[in-house]
Amino acid sequence: MYCENRFCIYWSDQACILDEISLDIQGSCQQCIYVDMEEEFLKTYREKFLKHYEAQ
């Protein structure tokens, strides 16, 4: 099953690894559990990619 939510713990190679899912009224997966990332980790990568894109 194709999935674009790469921050869900069930995401692998653009697909959901669950056999079945349920969707809410807005069409969002009810089983989705987001990967919790530390703010310092996110800050480091934001800065890294910002520098990369500013250099282009």
Short mmCIF file of all heavy atoms in Angstrom, two decimals:
data_model
loop_
_atom_site.label_atom_id
_atom_site.label_comp_id
_atom_site.label_asym_id
_atom_site.label_seq_id
_atom_site.Cartn_x
_atom_site.Cartn_y
_atom_site.Cartn_z
N MET A 1 0.85 -1.16 0.00
CA MET A 1 0.00 0.00 0.00
C MET A 1 0.90 1.24 0.00
O MET A 1 1.71 1.43 0.90
CB MET A 1 -0.88 -0.08 1.24
CG MET A 1 -1.77 1.04 1.48
SD MET A 1 -2.91 0.74 2.88
CE MET A 1 -2.45 -0.81 3.58
N TYR A 2 0.78 2.09 -1.03
CA TYR A 2 1.60 3.29 -1.19
C TYR A 2 1.33 4.28 -0.06
O TYR A 2 0.18 4.47 0.34
CB TYR A 2 1.32 3.94 -2.55
CG TYR A 2 2.09 5.21 -2.76
CD1 TYR A 2 3.44 5.16 -3.11
CD2 TYR A 2 1.49 6.44 -2.61
CE1 TYR A 2 4.16 6.32 -3.30
CE2 TYR A 2 2.21 7.61 -2.80
CZ TYR A 2 3.54 7.54 -3.15
OH TYR A 2 4.24 8.70 -3.33
N CYS A 3 2.40 4.91 0.45
CA CYS A 3 2.27 5.90 1.51
C CYS A 3 3.34 6.97 1.34
O CYS A 3 4.49 6.66 1.05
CB CYS A 3 2.42 5.23 2.87
SG CYS A 3 2.32 6.40 4.25
N GLU A 4 2.94 8.23 1.53
CA GLU A 4 3.87 9.35 1.42
C GLU A 4 4.37 9.83 2.78
O GLU A 4 5.23 10.70 2.84
CB GLU A 4 3.21 10.52 0.69
CG GLU A 4 2.90 10.24 -0.76
CD GLU A 4 2.24 11.41 -1.45
OE1 GLU A 4 1.91 12.41 -0.79
OE2 GLU A 4 2.04 11.32 -2.66
N ASN A 5 3.84 9.29 3.86
CA ASN A 5 4.18 9.80 5.19
C ASN A 5 5.43 9.11 5.73
O ASN A 5 5.37 8.18 6.52
CB ASN A 5 3.01 9.60 6.16
CG ASN A 5 3.24 10.31 7.46
OD1 ASN A 5 4.31 10.83 7.71
ND2 ASN A 5 2.23 10.31 8.30
N ARG A 6 6.59 9.63 5.34
CA ARG A 6 7.84 9.01 5.74
C ARG A 6 8.18 9.22 7.21
O ARG A 6 9.17 8.71 7.71
CB ARG A 6 8.98 9.47 4.85
CG ARG A 6 9.18 10.96 4.83
CD ARG A 6 10.29 11.39 3.92
NE ARG A 6 10.17 10.80 2.62
CZ ARG A 6 11.15 10.64 1.76
NH1 ARG A 6 12.34 11.09 2.05
NH2 ARG A 6 10.97 10.07 0.60
N PHE A 7 7.37 9.98 7.94
CA PHE A 7 7.60 10.18 9.37
C PHE A 7 6.79 9.21 10.23
O PHE A 7 6.83 9.27 11.45
CB PHE A 7 7.29 11.62 9.77
CG PHE A 7 8.24 12.60 9.13
CD1 PHE A 7 7.82 13.42 8.11
CD2 PHE A 7 9.56 12.68 9.54
CE1 PHE A 7 8.69 14.31 7.50
CE2 PHE A 7 10.44 13.56 8.95
CZ PHE A 7 10.02 14.37 7.92
N CYS A 8 6.05 8.32 9.62
CA CYS A 8 5.29 7.29 10.34
C CYS A 8 6.19 6.09 10.59
O CYS A 8 7.02 5.73 9.75
CB CYS A 8 4.08 6.87 9.51
SG CYS A 8 3.08 5.57 10.30
N ILE A 9 6.03 5.46 11.74
CA ILE A 9 6.88 4.30 12.05
C ILE A 9 6.57 3.10 11.15
O ILE A 9 7.39 2.20 11.03
CB ILE A 9 6.78 3.88 13.54
CG1 ILE A 9 5.39 3.40 13.90
CG2 ILE A 9 7.24 5.01 14.45
CD1 ILE A 9 5.31 2.74 15.27
N TYR A 10 5.41 3.09 10.51
CA TYR A 10 5.03 1.97 9.64
C TYR A 10 5.46 2.19 8.18
O TYR A 10 5.16 1.37 7.32
CB TYR A 10 3.52 1.75 9.68
CG TYR A 10 3.02 1.40 11.06
CD1 TYR A 10 2.13 2.23 11.73
CD2 TYR A 10 3.43 0.24 11.70
CE1 TYR A 10 1.66 1.92 13.00
CE2 TYR A 10 2.97 -0.08 12.97
CZ TYR A 10 2.09 0.77 13.61
OH TYR A 10 1.63 0.45 14.85
N TRP A 11 6.17 3.28 7.88
CA TRP A 11 6.57 3.59 6.51
C TRP A 11 7.88 2.90 6.17
O TRP A 11 8.83 2.89 6.95
CB TRP A 11 6.75 5.10 6.38
CG TRP A 11 7.07 5.57 5.01
CD1 TRP A 11 6.19 5.92 4.04
CD2 TRP A 11 8.36 5.77 4.44
NE1 TRP A 11 6.85 6.33 2.90
CE2 TRP A 11 8.20 6.24 3.13
CE3 TRP A 11 9.66 5.59 4.91
CZ2 TRP A 11 9.26 6.53 2.29
CZ3 TRP A 11 10.72 5.88 4.07
CH2 TRP A 11 10.52 6.34 2.79
N SER A 12 7.95 2.31 4.97
CA SER A 12 9.18 1.70 4.49
C SER A 12 9.16 1.70 2.96
O SER A 12 8.24 1.15 2.35
CB SER A 12 9.31 0.27 5.00
OG SER A 12 10.47 -0.35 4.49
N ASP A 13 10.15 2.33 2.36
CA ASP A 13 10.28 2.35 0.90
C ASP A 13 9.00 2.79 0.20
O ASP A 13 8.51 2.13 -0.72
CB ASP A 13 10.72 0.98 0.37
CG ASP A 13 12.09 0.59 0.87
OD1 ASP A 13 12.94 1.47 1.01
OD2 ASP A 13 12.31 -0.61 1.11
N GLN A 14 8.44 3.91 0.62
CA GLN A 14 7.23 4.52 0.06
C GLN A 14 5.99 3.64 0.20
O GLN A 14 5.05 3.74 -0.59
CB GLN A 14 7.45 4.89 -1.41
CG GLN A 14 8.54 5.92 -1.59
CD GLN A 14 8.74 6.29 -3.03
OE1 GLN A 14 8.17 5.70 -3.95
NE2 GLN A 14 9.55 7.30 -3.25
N ALA A 15 5.99 2.79 1.20
CA ALA A 15 4.83 1.92 1.41
C ALA A 15 4.58 1.72 2.90
O ALA A 15 5.48 1.83 3.73
CB ALA A 15 5.06 0.56 0.76
N CYS A 16 3.32 1.41 3.22
CA CYS A 16 2.94 1.07 4.58
C CYS A 16 3.21 -0.41 4.80
O CYS A 16 2.86 -1.24 3.94
CB CYS A 16 1.45 1.38 4.79
SG CYS A 16 0.89 1.02 6.47
N ILE A 17 3.82 -0.76 5.92
CA ILE A 17 4.12 -2.16 6.18
C ILE A 17 2.96 -2.90 6.85
O ILE A 17 3.03 -4.12 7.02
CB ILE A 17 5.41 -2.32 7.03
CG1 ILE A 17 5.26 -1.65 8.39
CG2 ILE A 17 6.61 -1.77 6.27
CD1 ILE A 17 6.42 -1.93 9.35
N LEU A 18 1.89 -2.17 7.21
CA LEU A 18 0.72 -2.82 7.80
C LEU A 18 -0.10 -3.52 6.72
O LEU A 18 -0.14 -3.08 5.57
CB LEU A 18 -0.15 -1.78 8.50
CG LEU A 18 0.48 -1.06 9.70
CD1 LEU A 18 -0.46 0.03 10.21
CD2 LEU A 18 0.79 -2.05 10.81
N ASP A 19 -0.77 -4.59 7.08
CA ASP A 19 -1.63 -5.30 6.14
C ASP A 19 -2.95 -4.56 5.90
O ASP A 19 -3.51 -4.61 4.81
CB ASP A 19 -1.94 -6.71 6.64
CG ASP A 19 -0.71 -7.60 6.63
OD1 ASP A 19 0.19 -7.37 5.79
OD2 ASP A 19 -0.64 -8.51 7.47
N GLU A 20 -3.45 -3.89 6.95
CA GLU A 20 -4.71 -3.15 6.84
C GLU A 20 -4.58 -1.85 7.62
O GLU A 20 -3.89 -1.79 8.63
CB GLU A 20 -5.86 -3.95 7.44
CG GLU A 20 -6.21 -5.20 6.68
CD GLU A 20 -7.41 -5.91 7.29
OE1 GLU A 20 -8.16 -5.28 8.08
OE2 GLU A 20 -7.59 -7.09 7.00
N ILE A 21 -5.28 -0.82 7.14
CA ILE A 21 -5.35 0.45 7.86
C ILE A 21 -6.80 0.93 7.84
O ILE A 21 -7.61 0.47 7.05
CB ILE A 21 -4.43 1.53 7.25
CG1 ILE A 21 -4.87 1.86 5.81
CG2 ILE A 21 -2.98 1.12 7.32
CD1 ILE A 21 -4.30 3.16 5.29
N SER A 22 -7.08 1.88 8.71
CA SER A 22 -8.38 2.55 8.73
C SER A 22 -8.13 4.02 8.46
O SER A 22 -7.15 4.59 8.93
CB SER A 22 -9.04 2.40 10.09
OG SER A 22 -9.23 1.06 10.42
N LEU A 23 -9.04 4.63 7.70
CA LEU A 23 -8.94 6.05 7.40
C LEU A 23 -9.99 6.82 8.17
O LEU A 23 -11.11 6.34 8.34
CB LEU A 23 -9.10 6.31 5.91
CG LEU A 23 -8.11 5.61 4.99
CD1 LEU A 23 -8.44 5.91 3.53
CD2 LEU A 23 -6.68 5.99 5.31
N ASP A 24 -9.63 8.02 8.63
CA ASP A 24 -10.62 8.86 9.30
C ASP A 24 -11.44 9.60 8.24
O ASP A 24 -11.25 9.40 7.04
CB ASP A 24 -9.96 9.81 10.30
CG ASP A 24 -9.04 10.83 9.67
OD1 ASP A 24 -9.08 11.04 8.44
OD2 ASP A 24 -8.27 11.46 10.42
N ILE A 25 -12.34 10.44 8.66
CA ILE A 25 -13.24 11.13 7.74
C ILE A 25 -12.50 12.05 6.77
O ILE A 25 -12.98 12.35 5.69
CB ILE A 25 -14.32 11.91 8.54
CG1 ILE A 25 -15.46 12.29 7.62
CG2 ILE A 25 -13.72 13.11 9.24
CD1 ILE A 25 -16.72 12.69 8.35
N GLN A 26 -11.27 12.48 7.13
CA GLN A 26 -10.46 13.33 6.26
C GLN A 26 -9.54 12.51 5.36
O GLN A 26 -8.79 13.08 4.58
CB GLN A 26 -9.64 14.30 7.10
CG GLN A 26 -10.49 15.27 7.87
CD GLN A 26 -9.68 16.14 8.79
OE1 GLN A 26 -8.68 15.71 9.36
NE2 GLN A 26 -10.10 17.38 8.94
N GLY A 27 -9.57 11.21 5.48
CA GLY A 27 -8.73 10.34 4.65
C GLY A 27 -7.35 10.10 5.21
O GLY A 27 -6.48 9.58 4.52
N SER A 28 -7.12 10.46 6.46
CA SER A 28 -5.83 10.23 7.11
C SER A 28 -5.82 8.87 7.80
O SER A 28 -6.83 8.44 8.36
CB SER A 28 -5.55 11.33 8.13
OG SER A 28 -5.45 12.59 7.51
N CYS A 29 -4.68 8.25 7.78
CA CYS A 29 -4.52 6.94 8.41
C CYS A 29 -4.67 7.05 9.92
O CYS A 29 -4.00 7.86 10.57
CB CYS A 29 -3.14 6.39 8.06
SG CYS A 29 -2.75 4.83 8.85
N GLN A 30 -5.52 6.23 10.51
CA GLN A 30 -5.73 6.26 11.96
C GLN A 30 -4.63 5.50 12.72
O GLN A 30 -4.47 5.69 13.91
CB GLN A 30 -7.09 5.68 12.31
CG GLN A 30 -8.23 6.56 11.84
CD GLN A 30 -9.58 6.01 12.24
OE1 GLN A 30 -9.81 4.81 12.22
NE2 GLN A 30 -10.48 6.91 12.59
N GLN A 31 -3.88 4.65 12.04
CA GLN A 31 -2.82 3.89 12.70
C GLN A 31 -1.49 4.64 12.73
O GLN A 31 -0.55 4.20 13.37
CB GLN A 31 -2.61 2.55 11.99
CG GLN A 31 -3.66 1.51 12.28
CD GLN A 31 -5.00 1.80 11.60
OE1 GLN A 31 -5.07 2.51 10.61
NE2 GLN A 31 -6.05 1.23 12.14
N CYS A 32 -1.40 5.75 12.05
CA CYS A 32 -0.15 6.49 11.93
C CYS A 32 0.41 6.86 13.30
O CYS A 32 -0.28 7.40 14.15
CB CYS A 32 -0.36 7.76 11.11
SG CYS A 32 1.12 8.76 10.97
N ILE A 33 1.68 6.53 13.50
CA ILE A 33 2.42 6.94 14.70
C ILE A 33 3.67 7.64 14.19
O ILE A 33 4.47 7.06 13.46
CB ILE A 33 2.81 5.73 15.57
CG1 ILE A 33 1.57 4.99 16.03
CG2 ILE A 33 3.67 6.17 16.75
CD1 ILE A 33 1.84 3.68 16.75
N TYR A 34 3.81 8.89 14.55
CA TYR A 34 4.93 9.69 14.07
C TYR A 34 6.22 9.39 14.84
O TYR A 34 6.19 9.18 16.05
CB TYR A 34 4.62 11.18 14.19
CG TYR A 34 3.63 11.64 13.16
CD1 TYR A 34 2.27 11.70 13.45
CD2 TYR A 34 4.06 11.99 11.89
CE1 TYR A 34 1.36 12.11 12.50
CE2 TYR A 34 3.15 12.40 10.93
CZ TYR A 34 1.80 12.46 11.24
OH TYR A 34 0.90 12.86 10.29
N VAL A 35 7.32 9.38 14.11
CA VAL A 35 8.63 9.25 14.72
C VAL A 35 8.90 10.54 15.49
O VAL A 35 8.74 11.63 14.97
CB VAL A 35 9.72 9.05 13.63
CG1 VAL A 35 11.10 9.07 14.24
CG2 VAL A 35 9.46 7.78 12.84
N ASP A 36 9.28 10.41 16.73
CA ASP A 36 9.59 11.56 17.57
C ASP A 36 11.06 11.88 17.45
O ASP A 36 11.91 11.06 17.77
CB ASP A 36 9.22 11.26 19.03
CG ASP A 36 9.36 12.48 19.92
OD1 ASP A 36 9.27 13.61 19.41
OD2 ASP A 36 9.55 12.28 21.12
N MET A 37 11.36 13.08 16.93
CA MET A 37 12.75 13.49 16.77
C MET A 37 13.05 14.65 17.71
O MET A 37 12.23 15.54 17.88
CB MET A 37 13.01 13.92 15.33
CG MET A 37 13.00 12.76 14.37
SD MET A 37 13.40 13.29 12.71
CE MET A 37 11.77 13.32 12.01
N GLU A 38 14.22 14.61 18.29
CA GLU A 38 14.66 15.66 19.19
C GLU A 38 14.81 16.97 18.42
O GLU A 38 15.25 16.98 17.27
CB GLU A 38 15.98 15.29 19.85
CG GLU A 38 15.92 14.04 20.71
CD GLU A 38 15.07 14.24 21.94
OE1 GLU A 38 15.06 15.35 22.49
OE2 GLU A 38 14.40 13.27 22.35
N GLU A 39 14.46 18.07 19.05
CA GLU A 39 14.55 19.38 18.41
C GLU A 39 15.97 19.71 17.97
O GLU A 39 16.18 20.29 16.91
CB GLU A 39 14.02 20.47 19.34
CG GLU A 39 13.90 21.81 18.69
CD GLU A 39 12.97 21.83 17.48
OE1 GLU A 39 11.94 21.13 17.48
OE2 GLU A 39 13.30 22.56 16.52
N GLU A 40 16.96 19.32 18.75
CA GLU A 40 18.36 19.59 18.39
C GLU A 40 18.74 18.86 17.11
O GLU A 40 19.46 19.39 16.26
CB GLU A 40 19.29 19.19 19.54
CG GLU A 40 20.70 19.69 19.37
CD GLU A 40 20.81 21.21 19.28
OE1 GLU A 40 20.05 21.92 19.96
OE2 GLU A 40 21.66 21.69 18.50
N PHE A 41 18.27 17.62 16.94
CA PHE A 41 18.51 16.86 15.73
C PHE A 41 17.90 17.58 14.53
O PHE A 41 18.55 17.74 13.49
CB PHE A 41 17.90 15.45 15.88
CG PHE A 41 17.98 14.61 14.65
CD1 PHE A 41 19.13 13.91 14.34
CD2 PHE A 41 16.89 14.50 13.80
CE1 PHE A 41 19.20 13.12 13.20
CE2 PHE A 41 16.95 13.72 12.65
CZ PHE A 41 18.11 13.03 12.36
N LEU A 42 16.65 18.01 14.66
CA LEU A 42 15.98 18.72 13.57
C LEU A 42 16.69 20.04 13.25
O LEU A 42 16.86 20.39 12.08
CB LEU A 42 14.52 18.99 13.93
CG LEU A 42 13.62 17.77 13.98
CD1 LEU A 42 12.26 18.16 14.54
CD2 LEU A 42 13.48 17.15 12.61
N LYS A 43 17.10 20.75 14.28
CA LYS A 43 17.79 22.03 14.09
C LYS A 43 19.08 21.83 13.29
O LYS A 43 19.37 22.59 12.36
CB LYS A 43 18.10 22.66 15.44
CG LYS A 43 18.80 23.98 15.33
CD LYS A 43 19.11 24.55 16.71
CE LYS A 43 19.91 25.83 16.57
NZ LYS A 43 20.37 26.32 17.85
N THR A 44 19.84 20.81 13.63
CA THR A 44 21.09 20.52 12.94
C THR A 44 20.85 20.25 11.46
O THR A 44 21.54 20.79 10.59
CB THR A 44 21.79 19.31 13.58
OG1 THR A 44 22.05 19.61 14.95
CG2 THR A 44 23.08 18.97 12.87
N TYR A 45 19.86 19.43 11.15
CA TYR A 45 19.58 19.10 9.75
C TYR A 45 18.96 20.27 9.00
O TYR A 45 19.23 20.46 7.81
CB TYR A 45 18.74 17.84 9.65
CG TYR A 45 19.63 16.62 9.66
CD1 TYR A 45 20.05 16.05 10.85
CD2 TYR A 45 20.09 16.08 8.48
CE1 TYR A 45 20.90 14.97 10.86
CE2 TYR A 45 20.94 14.99 8.47
CZ TYR A 45 21.35 14.44 9.66
OH TYR A 45 22.20 13.37 9.66
N ARG A 46 18.14 21.07 9.65
CA ARG A 46 17.60 22.25 8.99
C ARG A 46 18.72 23.18 8.57
O ARG A 46 18.75 23.68 7.45
CB ARG A 46 16.64 23.00 9.93
CG ARG A 46 15.30 22.37 10.04
CD ARG A 46 14.37 23.28 10.86
NE ARG A 46 13.18 22.56 11.22
CZ ARG A 46 12.85 22.21 12.46
NH1 ARG A 46 13.63 22.54 13.48
NH2 ARG A 46 11.75 21.55 12.70
N GLU A 47 19.66 23.43 9.48
CA GLU A 47 20.79 24.29 9.17
C GLU A 47 21.65 23.72 8.04
O GLU A 47 22.07 24.44 7.14
CB GLU A 47 21.64 24.51 10.43
CG GLU A 47 20.95 25.35 11.47
CD GLU A 47 21.69 25.38 12.80
OE1 GLU A 47 22.73 24.71 12.95
OE2 GLU A 47 21.20 26.08 13.70
N LYS A 48 21.88 22.42 8.08
CA LYS A 48 22.68 21.76 7.05
C LYS A 48 22.04 21.93 5.67
O LYS A 48 22.70 22.31 4.71
CB LYS A 48 22.83 20.28 7.38
CG LYS A 48 23.53 19.47 6.33
CD LYS A 48 23.56 18.01 6.70
CE LYS A 48 24.12 17.16 5.57
NZ LYS A 48 24.12 15.74 5.88
N PHE A 49 20.75 21.65 5.58
CA PHE A 49 20.08 21.72 4.28
C PHE A 49 19.86 23.16 3.84
O PHE A 49 19.89 23.46 2.65
CB PHE A 49 18.78 20.93 4.31
CG PHE A 49 19.02 19.46 4.24
CD1 PHE A 49 18.94 18.67 5.37
CD2 PHE A 49 19.37 18.86 3.04
CE1 PHE A 49 19.19 17.31 5.32
CE2 PHE A 49 19.63 17.49 2.96
CZ PHE A 49 19.53 16.72 4.10
N LEU A 50 19.68 24.08 4.77
CA LEU A 50 19.55 25.48 4.42
C LEU A 50 20.84 25.97 3.78
O LEU A 50 20.82 26.64 2.74
CB LEU A 50 19.21 26.31 5.66
CG LEU A 50 18.97 27.79 5.43
CD1 LEU A 50 17.82 28.01 4.45
CD2 LEU A 50 18.69 28.49 6.74
N LYS A 51 21.98 25.63 4.37
CA LYS A 51 23.27 25.99 3.79
C LYS A 51 23.43 25.38 2.40
O LYS A 51 23.94 26.01 1.48
CB LYS A 51 24.41 25.56 4.70
CG LYS A 51 24.52 26.39 5.95
CD LYS A 51 25.62 25.86 6.85
CE LYS A 51 25.64 26.63 8.16
NZ LYS A 51 26.61 26.07 9.11
N HIS A 52 23.02 24.14 2.25
CA HIS A 52 23.13 23.44 0.96
C HIS A 52 22.33 24.17 -0.11
O HIS A 52 22.81 24.41 -1.22
CB HIS A 52 22.65 22.00 1.10
CG HIS A 52 22.54 21.28 -0.20
ND1 HIS A 52 23.64 20.79 -0.87
CD2 HIS A 52 21.46 20.99 -0.97
CE1 HIS A 52 23.23 20.22 -1.99
NE2 HIS A 52 21.92 20.32 -2.07
N TYR A 53 21.08 24.52 0.19
CA TYR A 53 20.21 25.17 -0.81
C TYR A 53 20.59 26.63 -1.04
O TYR A 53 20.39 27.14 -2.14
CB TYR A 53 18.76 25.01 -0.43
CG TYR A 53 18.27 23.60 -0.66
CD1 TYR A 53 17.99 22.76 0.41
CD2 TYR A 53 18.13 23.10 -1.94
CE1 TYR A 53 17.58 21.47 0.20
CE2 TYR A 53 17.72 21.80 -2.17
CZ TYR A 53 17.44 20.99 -1.08
OH TYR A 53 17.05 19.71 -1.29
N GLU A 54 21.14 27.30 -0.05
CA GLU A 54 21.60 28.68 -0.25
C GLU A 54 22.84 28.73 -1.12
O GLU A 54 23.06 29.70 -1.82
CB GLU A 54 21.87 29.34 1.10
CG GLU A 54 20.62 29.69 1.86
CD GLU A 54 20.90 30.29 3.22
OE1 GLU A 54 22.04 30.16 3.73
OE2 GLU A 54 19.96 30.89 3.79
N ALA A 55 23.64 27.66 -1.10
CA ALA A 55 24.86 27.62 -1.89
C ALA A 55 24.59 27.40 -3.38
O ALA A 55 25.45 27.66 -4.21
CB ALA A 55 25.77 26.49 -1.37
N GLN A 56 23.42 26.96 -3.73
CA GLN A 56 23.09 26.68 -5.14
C GLN A 56 22.72 27.92 -5.89
O GLN A 56 22.28 28.88 -5.50
CB GLN A 56 21.96 25.68 -5.24
CG GLN A 56 22.36 24.33 -4.75
CD GLN A 56 21.24 23.30 -4.89
OE1 GLN A 56 20.17 23.58 -5.38
NE2 GLN A 56 21.52 22.11 -4.47
#
